[in-house]
Amino acid sequence: MSTIKASDAAKAVVRRNSEEVQGKGRFDVFEELFADDFVDHTPQPDMTPDKAGVRKLYRDIREAFPDFHAQIHWPLADGDRVTTYKTYYGTHEGPLLGVAPTHRKIHFESVDVMRVQNGQITDHWGVGNLLSLMQQIGGWTPPAETNNASPLLKTAVT
């Protein structure tokens, strides 16, 4: 298979994960798309870095945000690795990280890299703007501004 066709096939697997698993809660598709020896190189707190850990994460997110879905702004593929920049959306209807449901609409950005081999996701690296998410559901409040800011901070911003 040519590199272009392989990259297109890898992007299709990642898109299917975003749309069907994350967006519709289709865990039968999850089992099909994720390799048994999957490794999450950037697991979320209290999640194992394996297929069971990402399955739990996806279930927790679906319980907290039953209408959870992603808008993929662009997928970029290089061989067997697919990088996506996307915005996730949902309504906070279940507990998340100790925060009771607020019924607020949320959105946050994420950049993910997934390796796809033989039609399955084998590896993940990613960064999500979870601080923004926690602010939106009231799980984190920025400290009040003070005039006693660190000299390093004052130097960095001036």
Side-chain angles (χ1 to χ4, degrees):
M1 186 182 299
S2 75
T3 302
I4 292 173
K5 287 181 183 176
S7 292
D8 287 344
K11 285 193 291 189
V13 168
V14 170
R15 178 171 297 283
R16 194 167 175 218
N17 177 56
S18 292
E19 292 175 355
E20 293 186 45
V21 181
Q22 292 177 328
K24 296 179 181 169
R26 293 204 47 210
F27 286 92
D28 58 321
V29 174
F30 173 89
E31 295 302 326
E32 176 187 331
L33 295 182
F34 281 79
D36 289 338
D37 60 351
F38 169 84
V39 176
D40 191 343
H41 300 275
T42 52
Q44 295 302 317
D46 300 323
M47 298 290 166
T48 58
D50 56 9
K51 185 174 180 176
V54 78
R55 183 188 305 110
K56 181 178 180 341
L57 173 66
Y58 284 8
R59 286 190 189 281
D60 289 354
I61 288 172
R62 295 285 315 160
E63 288 175 15
F65 306 99
D67 58 346
F68 193 73
H69 63 283
Q71 177 186 4
I72 299 174
H73 301 293
W74 61 79
L76 302 171
D78 184 11
D80 64 358
R81 291 186 184 137
V82 178
T83 301
T84 54
Y85 170 69
K86 56 189 159 281
T87 303
Y88 286 110
Y89 298 90
T91 308
H92 186 211
E93 300 294 350
L96 181 72
L97 299 172
V99 180
T102 62
H103 313 293
R104 294 178 186 165
K105 300 245 181 239
I106 60 91
H107 68 279
F108 66 96
E109 296 76 25
S110 177
V111 175
D112 293 290
V113 178
M114 292 186 160
R115 179 180 286 145
V116 178
Q117 297 177 321
N118 300 317
Q120 291 189 308
I121 300 166
T122 61
D123 297 85
H124 169 262
W125 299 262
V127 179
N129 190 350
L130 299 183
L131 179 59
S132 172
L133 170 61
M134 293 306 287
Q135 282 182 294
Q136 292 173 65
I137 64 173
W140 184 80
T141 305
E145 283 190 39
T146 68
N147 290 329
N148 299 328
S150 160
L152 289 175
L153 181 60
K154 288 180 183 176
T155 302
V157 295
T158 57

